[in-house]
């Protein structure tokens, strides 16, 4: 029996004992009163049996008043942008368009908090306090009716890997890093789960209405390097193959996070590689689209055309954003239809030019390309989206509701 069940049972017993202590004071020499006593006991006993088995859970109130929009249409905002002069420009930009949400870095790609926590916070040593006043920021968003989403980068975390090498991967005696010098922490370690969920809880208490977890995965290509690295597997040693163990760990983290955040009344979303929806599961990184979707309110596939190789019969996807997004949406919809309770689909779209692809493989992205991506989603019944631009410079004069 869980703790709530025990509390309810204790209340029932105490109430019944109190009843027994009161009813015997009636005059037992009077048959009518004796009948009343028996009737009263039955009445109260019946009432007790009808008490709910589950008491209503505590729900945290941050004090802000945000309403979920008709459909989220949002942009990504870095910590420096959220805490600097750029914030006024971006909030005004959203306010004057059909956009209505911001995904704001709270724990960034290097594992640092982007705001100044309380003095007694256990996270005070990992702070890059770009956002000086979260209350002022959230009050502005509330006034402009901009829905606030906190981005928490989970398993890509160079800061935590340095502080806790035993929670990371070692190559020899050093913490392993990828080609960009980034370190990851280990999804098998439940201590890492709690570390990140506690940060998410802080964001929920601040007033963010949704927690978006990013990098919920093992490093890319992990299946090719796993045997050469040293790392713990925690409880994940039950004889399954390594692919399934990685899927279990990632899925279990998402489930754990959703359960821990429930009392705070926030939605939970997860970013996921777009190609994951096209496979039973991504073998190296541990992402299974369907299993993750069972434990979130929102699933956000990263489907930037520039990030695909030849797929869906499209040889150069960056040149055909409408077609690429259209074909992906069909696949994802089919995948979601298999679920008993599918989450909201809110993909990440491309608002940047991928010149790094080289001449002939990319084109400049502007108003037409953004609208093409949105229209492709809308035509397949997906009304929500997020726009990514790492520098937070978003295209002007876009119609973000092209079918309206």
């Amino acid at each position: 029996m869980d703790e709530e069940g025990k509390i309810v049972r204790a209340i029932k017993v105490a109430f019944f004992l109190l009843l027994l202590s009161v009813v015997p004071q009636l005059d037992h020499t009077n048959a009518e009163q004796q009948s009343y006593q028996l009737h009263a006991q039955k009445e109260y006993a019946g009432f007790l049996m009808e008490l709910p088995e589950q008491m209503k859970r505590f729900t945290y109130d941050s004090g802000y008043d945000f309403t979920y929009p008709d459909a989220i249409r949002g942009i990504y905002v870095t910590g420096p942008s959220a805490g600097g002069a750029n914030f006024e420009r971006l909030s005004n930009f959203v306010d004057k368009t059909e956009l209505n949400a911001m995904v704001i870095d709270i724990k960034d790609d290097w594992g640092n908090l982007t705001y100044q926590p309380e003095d007694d916070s256990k996270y005070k040593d990992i702070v890059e306090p770009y956002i000086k006043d979260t209350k002022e920021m959230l009050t502005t968003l509330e006034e402009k009716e901009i829905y606030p989403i906190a981005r928490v980068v989970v398993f890509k975390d160079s800061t935590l890997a340095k502080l806790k090498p035993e929670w990371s991967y070692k190559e020899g005696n050093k913490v392993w890093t990828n080609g960009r010098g980034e370190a990851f922490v280990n999804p098998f370690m439940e201590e890492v789960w709690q570390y990140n969920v506690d940060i998410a809880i802080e964001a929920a208490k601040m007033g963010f209405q949704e927690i978006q977890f990013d990098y919920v995965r093992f490093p890319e290509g992990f299946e090719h390097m796993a045997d050469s690295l040293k790392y713990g597997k925690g409880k994940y040693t039950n004889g399954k193959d390594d692919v399934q163990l990685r899927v279990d760990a990632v899925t279990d983290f998402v489930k754990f996070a959703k359960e821990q955040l429930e009392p705070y009344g926030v939605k939970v979303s997860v970013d996921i590689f777009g190609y994951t929806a096209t496979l039973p599961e991504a073998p190296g990184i541990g992402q299974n689209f369907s299993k993750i979707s069972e434990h979130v309110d929102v699933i956000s596939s990263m489907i930037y055309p520039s990030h695909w190789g030849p797929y869906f019969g499209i040889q150069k996807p960056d040149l055909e954003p409408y077609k690429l997004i259209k074909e992906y949406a069909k696949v994802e919809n089919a995948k979601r239809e298999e679920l008993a309770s599918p989450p909201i689909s809110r993909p990440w779209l491309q608002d940047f030019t991928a010149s790094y692809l080289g001449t002939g493989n990319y084109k400049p992205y502007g108003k037409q390309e953004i609208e093409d991506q949105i229209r492709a989603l809308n035509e397949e019944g997906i009304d929500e989206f997020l726009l990514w631009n790492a520098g937070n410079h978003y295209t002007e004069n876009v119609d973000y509701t092209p079918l309206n």
Side-chain angles (χ1 to χ4, degrees):
M1 182 183 297
D2 60 23
E3 289 300 316
E4 289 184 359
K6 291 177 181 178
I7 292 171
V8 172
R9 179 62 58 84
I11 292 172
K12 291 179 180 180
V13 171
F15 190 19
F16 190 69
L17 290 175
L18 176 63
L19 177 65
L20 292 179
S21 70
V22 173
V23 173
Q25 296 178 20
L26 298 173
D27 185 356
H28 286 267
T29 62
N30 186 302
E32 182 176 348
Q33 287 179 328
Q34 288 180 334
S35 175
Y36 171 78
Q37 174 190 338
L38 181 61
H39 177 71
Q41 287 178 345
K42 288 181 178 179
E43 287 283 334
Y44 280 102
F47 169 74
L48 286 170
M49 292 304 292
E50 291 172 6
L51 282 174
E53 286 297 325
Q54 295 289 332
M55 296 177 68
K56 186 176 181 180
R57 291 183 180 273
F58 160 78
T59 301
Y60 184 84
D61 182 4
S62 66
Y64 293 98
D65 183 19
F66 289 100
T67 301
Y68 196 92
D70 61 317
I72 294 290
R73 298 178 290 275
I75 60 171
Y76 165 62
V77 179
T78 65
S81 286
N86 214 16
F87 181 70
E88 182 178 5
R89 177 183 67 82
L90 289 170
S91 60
N92 288 338
F93 173 69
V94 171
D95 193 34
K96 72 180 183 180
T97 67
E98 300 95 344
L99 296 170
N100 53 31
M102 284 184 171
V103 178
I104 299 173
D105 273 348
I106 289 302
K107 177 172 177 264
D108 66 18
D109 289 49
W110 293 98
N112 300 310
L113 296 193
T114 62
Y115 65 95
Q116 185 64 58
E118 299 295 331
D119 292 339
D120 60 350
S121 172
K122 62 183 177 182
Y123 298 105
K124 60 181 181 295
D125 295 331
I126 63 163
V127 174
E128 292 286 350
Y130 305 113
I131 305 171
K132 306 300 182 185
D133 190 337
T134 58
K135 291 182 180 178
E136 180 181 356
M137 178 186 71
L138 286 162
T139 297
T140 298
L141 297 181
E142 181 183 35
E143 291 171 351
K144 294 180 181 290
E145 298 182 350
I146 298 173
Y147 192 79
I149 302 170
R151 179 176 179 255
V152 175
V153 176
V154 183
F155 297 118
K156 185 171 83 165
D157 193 329
S158 297
T159 300
L160 183 57
K162 182 178 180 180
L163 292 172
K164 292 281 190 180
E166 66 273 22
W167 292 356
S168 184
Y169 313 99
K170 284 188 176 181
E171 189 172 33
N173 294 321
K174 295 182 179 180
V175 170
W176 170 85
T177 58
N178 63 17
R180 295 182 293 275
E182 302 161 333
F184 279 66
V185 286
N186 185 355
F188 287 131
M189 307 302 290
E190 293 177 79
E191 296 90 343
V192 176
W193 301 4
Q194 192 68 62
Y195 177 91
N196 283 280
V197 168
D198 285 347
I199 292 172
I201 288 173
E202 284 198 11
K205 288 181 175 179
M206 279 183 225
F208 283 92
Q209 302 298 290
E210 180 173 319
I211 308 300
Q212 182 189 90
F213 292 110
D214 199 359
Y215 286 87
V216 184
R217 59 176 177 82
F218 287 77
E220 292 175 71
F222 191 76
E223 69 274 28
H224 303 302
M225 65 182 94
D227 291 341
S228 64
L229 299 177
K230 293 186 291 185
Y231 58 96
K233 286 190 175 181
K235 67 182 181 182
Y236 293 92
T237 55
N238 59 2
K240 292 184 179 180
D241 65 57
D242 285 346
V243 170
Q244 288 307 311
L245 289 177
R246 289 193 285 270
V247 168
D248 286 351
V250 169
T251 304
D252 288 349
F253 163 74
V254 176
K255 180 181 179 182
F256 173 77
K258 184 72 165 66
E259 291 170 348
Q260 293 293 302
L261 286 163
E262 185 177 349
Y264 300 92
V266 291
K267 291 186 181 299
V268 173
S269 57
V270 165
D271 294 338
I272 193 168
F273 276 156
Y275 76 86
T276 303
T278 71
L279 303 169
E281 51 213 5
I285 62 176
Q287 288 185 343
N288 180 303
F289 182 94
S290 298
K291 289 183 178 180
I292 290 175
S293 293
E294 290 174 354
H295 305 294
V296 295
D297 301 295
V298 180
I299 193 79
S300 288
S301 291
M302 298 174 286
I303 55 174
Y304 322 115
S306 61
H307 282 41
W308 296 81
Y311 233 88
F312 308 118
I314 307 170
Q315 292 303 307
K316 297 182 178 182
D318 194 65
L319 302 181
E320 301 188 61
Y322 171 81
K323 185 176 181 181
L324 184 284
I325 301 300
K326 181 92 168 175
E327 293 305 312
Y328 170 83
K330 293 175 183 177
V331 171
E332 186 191 281
N333 281 340
K335 199 93 166 183
R336 290 172 61 245
E337 286 173 3
E338 297 171 356
L339 302 174
S341 182
I344 294 169
S345 174
R346 188 195 299 155
W348 281 100
L349 302 180
Q350 179 173 329
D351 191 352
F352 59 88
T353 296
S355 56
Y356 53 82
L357 293 175
T359 303
N361 298 309
Y362 80 94
K363 66 177 179 177
Y365 269 52
K367 172 180 166 63
Q368 185 65 53
E369 289 71 27
I370 311 305
E371 291 177 358
D372 283 349
Q373 293 175 83
I374 297 168
R375 188 173 76 257
L377 287 180
N378 292 169
E379 288 175 353
E380 295 302 318
I382 299 175
D383 297 323
E384 303 205 2
F385 63 85
L386 300 169
L387 297 175
W388 181 271
N389 180 289
N392 300 167
H393 299 291
Y394 295 97
T395 303
E396 297 280 350
N397 302 315
V398 172
D399 180 358
Y400 294 108
T401 56
L403 295 192
N404 291 337

